[in-house]
Amino acid sequence: MESGTNPRRPDPRFTLPGSGEPFRTAFAVAPIALAILAADGRIDMANAAFCELLGRSSDDLNGIRLSDLYVGEGDARSAGVDYVLPPGQERCSVEVWFNHDQQQPLRCVLSLALVRGKGGEAPYYVAQVRDITTERIAERRLAQYAGELERSNQELEQLATVVSHDLQAPLRTLRGYAQLLIDEYGRLLDEQGIRWTSYVMNGADRMQVLIGDLLKVARVQAHSSPVIETDLTPIVTRAWERIGLMYAAASPELASEPLPVVAVDEIQIEQVFQNLFDNAVKYRRQDAPPRVRLNVSRLRDEWQFAVSDNGIGLEMVHSRRIFEVFQRLHADHEYDGTGIGLAVCKKIIERHRGRIWVESSPGSGSTFYFTIPDADWGHFTRDAS
Ligand code: ADP
């Protein structure tokens, strides 16, 4: 590797600040790419990191204009930083493509600062170059993936909505004519005929519920509201009041820790609490009144919520499956439901960039955990709204 200094440099006016050997050495060995440009923009001196970054020796670099190394009409030119600062400007930072001797061009941040010599010496420029190619490629890929994901999510939601609507029309016909059959021709049917027709009606009703639930999952993204700082206390109170009314006969009780203010989509997070409370009471043991606890922990950069119950519990082997659409561990006649509640919770929590999981064992109750991160909300809010 070259030393980065120019032993042939003829300009005797040029001196480094401090001009002593330690400064010269510091410049030469600094791990950041530095160059000194003369007043006309030509490279007077480039350090080892600069030479290495652009794949050239200091002999190759000395005397050429920095702008000779740009690729195409870069931002630097459009920003007016052709090879020196525009008049009146003393420092600037721009992104440019630099030609590398052996590799693909490099995307770099070029920072230029004008230094006025004391005692009438010619001014010179200190140039610093930082390679950001990898960062920019990663950013571009990430943006591409995010765009593709967004598009595919939208397509899926559209598909689910269209399919659901289209399924409802024939279903209504089926249900309507089965009802007519019973109303108008019921006297002509024997007991078995009436039973079979009511099976048709029940099946149609069930399918109507399933389609409605499918729509609920599809709508998590489509019908979202902005994420804003929200006091969770009234939200949890409302969610629990509804559960209290639904299961009044079982006398459920909730014990909750004080709740924080967290950045959430208010409507969606209320839905999460309601679904978890609903399950905590629905899957209760016959021999114990339902007791639900809501615990909150502050972790490093997120809030963790835990909804615990004293219900029937479940085998951990099913702990992932139950968060999938229509996955249930019980027959419909044992416990009412369609297997959509936890799938909706998962989708909502993932939209908030959190996680949701369960810890449980049969007969010993369950604890459903979820987290809501509190960092990086500016980014999230822009995405989500
Ligand atoms: P649903 O309650 O309509 O079946 P969910 O998606 O809410 O749908 O739950 C999926 C399955 O997870 C339930 O069928 C049940 O088997 C199990 N489950 C959910 N919550 C609990 C709980 N608190 N205790 C025991 N099992 C639970």
Side-chain angles (χ1 to χ4, degrees):
M1 193 181 296
E2 300 294 323
S3 71
T5 57
N6 176 11
R8 293 179 289 110
R9 191 177 55 77
D11 187 350
R13 292 170 307 163
F14 179 77
T15 49
L16 276 169
S19 71
E21 193 53 33
F23 285 97
R24 200 169 274 276
T25 309
F27 173 82
V29 302
I32 45 175
L34 293 170
I36 305 292
L37 314 183
D40 64 357
R42 290 178 195 280
I43 299 175
D44 250 347
M45 184 187 272
N47 74 354
F50 193 96
C51 297
E52 190 181 7
L53 183 67
L54 300 180
R56 292 159 202 270
S57 69
S58 59
D59 281 349
D60 287 348
L61 291 171
N62 287 332
I64 64 169
R65 284 206 166 100
L66 197 59
S67 60
D68 293 339
L69 298 169
Y70 297 169
V71 178
E73 292 293 309
D75 299 351
R77 281 166 203 259
S78 53
V81 189
D82 189 1
Y83 54 86
V84 286
L85 290 164
Q89 211 173 317
E90 304 243 319
R91 54 180 61 234
C92 74
S93 222
V94 284
E95 282 191 23
V96 284
W97 286 101
F98 269 114
N99 216 334
H100 188 283
D101 204 28
Q102 291 110 33
Q103 300 169 17
Q104 297 291 319
L106 301 171
R107 187 67 171 167
C108 297
V109 175
L110 164 67
S111 304
L112 282 174
L114 175 68
V115 181
R116 294 188 190 283
K118 290 185 192 128
E121 302 127 353
Y124 61 93
Y125 300 91
V126 178
Q128 187 202 322
V129 178
R130 190 163 61 85
D131 180 8
I132 54 162
T133 315
T134 321
E135 278 165 59
R136 285 289 176 269
I137 290 173
E139 274 172 23
R140 206 176 323 137
R141 285 212 185 116
L142 206 63
Q144 265 171 3
Y145 289 144
E148 281 164 19
L149 203 65
E150 177 75 26
R151 268 194 302 281
S152 104
N153 265 343
Q154 276 172 3
E155 276 170 21
L156 267 177
E157 273 148 27
Q158 266 172 9
L159 190 77
T161 310
V162 169
V163 167
S164 306
H165 281 132
D166 289 359
L167 283 177
Q168 306 224 31
L171 204 57
R172 271 196 295 273
T173 310
L174 201 70
R175 175 77 170 75
Y177 278 97
Q179 186 71 59
L180 270 179
L181 205 60
I182 289 187
D183 291 350
E184 302 294 323
Y185 296 93
R187 64 203 142 74
L188 300 178
L189 295 173
D190 62 8
E191 206 181 305
Q192 194 172 46
I194 295 210
R195 202 164 54 241
W196 287 358
T197 314
S198 66
Y199 287 164
V200 172
M201 283 168 40
N202 290 345
D205 286 345
R206 176 78 181 160
M207 195 149 164
Q208 189 85 47
V209 172
L210 292 176
I211 290 171
D213 281 352
L214 203 59
L215 274 173
K216 279 185 202 154
V217 183
R219 281 176 181 156
V220 167
Q221 197 70 27
H223 289 205
S224 53
S225 314
V227 168
I228 40 175
E229 295 279 319
T230 309
D231 181 0
L232 292 183
T233 310
I235 289 181
V236 165
T237 307
R238 274 200 305 270
W240 181 258
E241 269 169 10
R242 254 175 256 128
I243 300 301
L245 288 175
M246 277 166 66
Y247 296 98
S251 311
E253 280 177 21
L254 171 72
S256 172
E257 287 188 330
L259 295 163
V261 171
V262 182
V264 288
D265 176 331
E266 181 175 343
I267 294 169
Q268 290 193 338
I269 226 66
E270 186 169 330
Q271 183 75 64
V272 170
F273 280 115
Q274 191 174 316
N275 289 1
L276 294 180
F277 290 158
D278 189 350
N279 284 346
V281 179
K282 179 164 61 169
Y283 297 105
R284 63 186 176 276
R285 290 206 316 262
Q286 292 311 317
D287 59 346
R291 297 289 172 260
V292 183
R293 268 181 302 115
L294 172 57
N295 292 100
V296 189
S297 331
R298 172 71 202 177
L299 304 183
R300 198 165 59 89
D301 53 1
E302 60 187 6
W303 290 97
Q304 179 178 292
F305 300 87
V307 177
S308 311
D309 63 53
N310 60 341
I312 59 172
L314 56 95
E315 300 268 10
M316 282 303 279
V317 60
H318 303 300
S319 61
R320 278 173 177 271
R321 186 161 77 85
I322 55 171
F323 290 96
E324 289 168 20
V325 174
F326 295 146
Q327 293 297 324
R328 316 195 65 214
L329 306 181
H330 306 279
D332 301 345
H333 64 265
E334 288 178 286
Y335 293 95
D336 199 24
T338 56
I340 215 79
L342 292 178
V344 168
C345 290
K346 183 164 183 271
K347 233 182 148 191
I348 292 175
I349 295 303
E350 284 176 354
R351 185 186 159 236
H352 284 76
R353 305 208 172 149
R355 292 163 289 122
I356 185 165
W357 70 98
V358 64
E359 280 171 18
S360 181
S361 65
S364 310
S366 310
T367 301
F368 283 81
Y369 296 90
F370 68 90
T371 61
I372 301 281
D374 67 352
D376 201 18
W377 284 113
H379 176 53
F380 177 83
T381 312
R382 267 202 308 281
D383 276 357
S385 47

